[in-house]
Amino acid sequence: MASPLKLLQGLLPLSRKGALRDALAGVSLAAMDIPQLLGYARIAGMPAVTGLYTALLPLIAFAFFGASRHLVVAADSATATIFSSRLSGMASLGSPEYIALAGTVALLTAALLLVARLLRLGFLADFLSRTALTGFLAGVGVQVALAMSGDLLGLTVDASTSMGKLLFVLGHLPQVHAPTAALALSLLLVLFAAKRWAPRLPIPLLVLVGCIAASALFDFAGRGIQVLGPVAGGLPSLTLPRLGWKDILELLPIAGACFVMIIAQSSAASRVYADRHHEHDDQNANILGLSAANAAAAFSGAFVVNGSPTQTAMAEQAGSRSQVAQLSFAVVVALVLLFLCQWLQYLPHCVLAAVVFAIAVGLVDVKTLRAMRLESPVEFRMALATAATVLLVGVEQGILLAIALSMLHHVRHSYRPHSLMLEPAANGRWLPVDVQPGRETAPGLIVYRFGADLFYANDTFFASQVAQLVAQAPEGLRWFIVDAGAITSLDYSAARTLLDLYRNLSQQGVQLVFGRVNSYLRADMARHGIDKVVEARYLLPTLHEALAVAGVEPHRLTTAAPE
């Protein structure tokens, strides 16, 4: 039975002191985040003002329907890259046609999230590993950085792919506009220095305001430095995105890719801060909030929104402890839209590109990648493969590969799980060691532990390893005990394999015994008829009882082989 709909979980309970603290935190968040919102709109290929739209109605919608007290839901670089990489081939960036397509993608994403909420699919976030997500975001970061290279240098890049843009820029370095490049480089130095030594100060906002003022005062546009030009201000008007069947079928895969990224990133961010503050994290309620936020984005002329880990971290640094901070953020954005948008026309493209470039570099988590390389080279290579796919093939293909590699990594461990056997130590006790054919636990006995559930992909490995241990055991082997503590389920294929193995060992005079058979495994054994072939006295709940059946005293077990 579905749980009743709960609203305002991210806001309540709330005290007067807490509300004031969070309201001030929202103002600080706005000071740090408004330049990034403009940058995300640039990544998305949308008019700059739509970046501000994403922090208005979508943010309010999530505060009303979502559960997380910390998650900031607005424009995000990853989802902006996902849909812009495809829509750029369907319409001109920033054109009415492009804006309409972006709204349709947001609405389709909202529909997918709503279906996920109705089916209670919050667990889907667990299927995209941190390894694959790190690689995906690194690829997105490099892709976005390359996309900004033309604006940073004052070049009009005539290339669609990331590598094409890189080659174009390298081939046109003599045509670089020196004033634009000098301004952009100076800003990058300031932004990176601020991130390193003053991350809590609104340096990007100060940079933005300073450059707008300088552009208006010294006529940057007249000196060849490209500026945004007139920007429509005011609050967004509500519009209905186009919903033709052709558009839906064409855009649904893009919305699906955004859906996966939203589920993964939002879940990861909300869980981190819920755990940090010892709060309950209702993932299904968050999915409903994200659905409402994307629907609000679609109807207010914006684009896909996401629970942003970086913006959530910024809110945390500002002192936010509830969605009141995000509502305060929305109020500041509304004031900017109403009274300050006319000044955005003086904003140079290279300034916005510098802000975006700094964001993109931050997506490449060098620290995590370095830790992966040292601790798990296989996962490091998975991350690099995902990043390379995003960069060389496409964002959608990259996210599909990320999911596939995450699943493959899991299946690989289940397909070839760790297995152990008990072997006598010098002190006369038994220690768990790697499986070694030709050895035994005690005269006439082998105790073997399989480290995963048994299913069609690993049952042959299980059976062949048991058969090898029996075949190469010293003479006189009579008992083979399987420590089934890690086995909680059997499928049909594994059940048939177990029955065949039991009969084969019986013909060789070896009795197969199962110890630490839990209730789930016992139920599966009954369902598949194993308990009708294997006597109940050989299906035992503890390893001590299994050893007693074999006539062995269990006191020689070490604590490394727990009950």
Side-chain angles (χ1 to χ4, degrees):
M1 182 175 178
S3 59
L5 180 64
K6 296 180 181 179
L7 303 177
L8 303 177
Q9 293 184 69
L11 290 165
L12 303 176
L14 186 68
S15 65
R16 177 182 294 182
K17 181 180 178 181
L20 178 60
R21 176 202 63 215
D22 288 344
L24 294 175
V27 175
S28 298
L29 175 62
M32 293 186 287
D33 207 20
I34 283 176
Q36 292 200 48
L37 294 177
L38 298 173
Y40 294 143
R42 180 70 174 165
I43 295 172
M46 296 283 285
V49 72
T50 61
L52 300 179
Y53 291 168
T54 65
L56 197 59
L57 294 183
L59 199 150
I60 295 171
F62 182 82
F64 191 78
F65 289 99
S68 173
R69 297 178 67 84
H70 307 276
L71 195 64
V72 178
V73 176
D76 176 72
S77 56
T79 46
T81 304
I82 287 172
F83 77 80
S84 66
S85 64
R86 281 293 302 274
L87 295 189
S88 60
M90 300 170 64
S92 300
L93 296 179
S95 65
E97 176 81 0
Y98 185 93
I99 295 171
L101 291 173
T104 304
V105 171
L107 192 58
L108 290 174
T109 302
L112 292 175
L113 288 164
L114 180 60
V115 171
R117 169 60 186 92
L118 294 175
L119 297 179
R120 304 181 67 82
L121 299 181
F123 66 90
L124 286 175
D126 298 330
F127 287 91
L128 190 60
S129 69
R130 181 172 297 186
T131 299
L133 190 58
T134 299
F136 175 81
L137 292 177
V140 167
V142 175
Q143 184 188 62
V144 170
L146 290 174
M148 294 298 106
S149 58
D151 284 347
L152 289 171
L153 301 174
L155 295 173
T156 302
V157 178
D158 185 18
S160 57
T161 66
S162 296
M163 295 308 298
K165 290 172 183 175
L166 176 60
L167 294 175
F168 183 93
V169 169
L170 292 177
H172 292 77
L173 288 178
Q175 285 80 50
V176 166
H177 187 250
T180 298
L183 177 60
L185 180 59
S186 301
L187 294 178
L188 284 175
L189 292 175
V190 171
L191 291 171
F192 287 131
K195 186 177 181 180
R196 174 67 177 84
W197 288 294
R200 301 189 63 163
L201 295 179
I203 301 299
L205 182 65
L206 296 176
V207 165
L208 209 67
V209 171
C211 288
I212 288 174
S215 176
L217 186 61
F218 298 109
D219 189 20
F220 280 8
R223 300 173 187 274
I225 298 176
Q226 293 186 339
V227 298
L228 289 183
V231 175
L235 300 178
S237 57
L238 299 181
T239 58
L240 178 67
R242 53 193 259 181
L243 291 171
W245 278 110
K246 181 181 178 182
D247 293 326
I248 291 175
L249 294 176
E250 195 168 8
L251 298 176
L252 194 57
I254 306 173
C258 291
F259 163 79
V260 172
M261 180 52 57
I262 290 169
I263 290 286
Q265 277 197 310
S266 299
S267 174
S270 64
R271 283 179 182 176
V272 165
Y273 293 101
D275 291 345
R276 180 175 297 177
H277 295 280
H278 309 289
E279 298 167 353
H280 173 64
D281 187 38
D282 187 343
Q283 284 300 320
N284 289 304
N286 287 337
I287 290 175
L288 178 62
L290 289 161
S291 174
N294 275 284
F299 288 114
S300 59
F303 50 93
V304 174
V305 295
N306 186 13
S308 170
T310 54
Q311 294 177 76
T312 303
M314 290 163 60
E316 174 82 1
Q317 290 174 5
S320 168
R321 295 296 180 271
S322 79
Q323 289 289 327
V324 170
Q326 279 71 290
L327 294 179
S328 175
F329 178 18
V331 170
V332 175
V333 168
L335 293 174
V336 171
L337 286 168
L338 288 171
F339 303 112
L340 299 176
C341 267
Q342 67 270 23
W343 292 101
L344 291 179
Q345 64 180 307
Y346 299 108
L347 179 63
H349 280 294
C350 66
V351 174
L352 206 49
V355 172
V356 174
F357 188 90
I359 296 170
V361 170
L363 292 177
V364 183
D365 192 343
V366 177
K367 182 179 179 181
T368 298
L369 289 170
R370 185 183 294 117
M372 281 184 199
R373 185 175 61 84
L374 295 174
E375 298 172 28
S376 181
V378 172
E379 292 185 87
F380 175 69
R381 288 193 289 271
M382 285 172 52
L384 289 186
T386 304
T389 302
V390 171
L391 193 59
L392 301 176
V393 183
V395 175
E396 288 177 81
Q397 292 81 359
I399 200 167
L400 290 174
L401 180 66
I403 296 171
L405 289 177
S406 297
M407 297 296 292
L408 182 63
H409 187 60
H410 166 72
V411 172
R412 178 176 173 271
H413 282 290
S414 300
Y415 175 65
R416 285 290 184 270
H418 295 300
S419 54
L420 301 168
M421 61 182 294
L422 294 184
E423 185 179 90
N427 61 4
R429 298 180 71 82
W430 296 338
L431 292 174
V433 297
D434 292 337
V435 170
Q436 300 176 28
R439 307 296 294 271
E440 59 184 359
T441 303
L445 169 70
I446 290 177
V447 179
Y448 167 82
R449 176 180 172 84
F450 191 71
D453 288 331
L454 275 170
F455 66 111
Y456 67 91
N458 65 16
D459 60 350
T460 303
F461 172 71
F462 170 83
S464 63
Q465 195 165 57
V466 171
Q468 184 182 27
L469 285 171
V470 171
Q472 298 184 29
E475 286 190 35
L477 180 68
R478 295 184 56 243
W479 299 94
F480 193 101
I481 297 177
V482 174
D483 177 356
I487 305 174
T488 60
S489 65
L490 294 172
D491 66 4
Y492 180 85
S493 175
R496 304 279 77 76
T497 298
L498 274 187
L499 289 172
D500 291 342
L501 180 65
Y502 180 81
R503 296 186 182 104
N504 290 338
L505 294 186
S506 297
Q507 292 174 2
Q508 299 176 53
V510 178
Q511 179 61 54
L512 184 63
V513 180
F514 293 88
R516 294 214 287 171
V517 177
N518 56 67
S519 59
Y520 302 107
L521 178 58
R522 187 64 182 260
D524 275 357
M525 286 180 162
R527 180 163 55 89
H528 292 295
I530 292 175
D531 61 347
K532 294 182 175 62
V533 178
V534 182
E535 297 179 44
R537 64 194 180 104
Y538 297 136
L539 303 175
L540 299 161
T542 70
L543 191 54
H544 283 180
E545 291 175 85
L547 290 167
V549 167
V552 178
E553 295 183 6
H555 69 272
R556 296 166 68 186
L557 284 171
T558 69
T559 55
E563 283 296 325

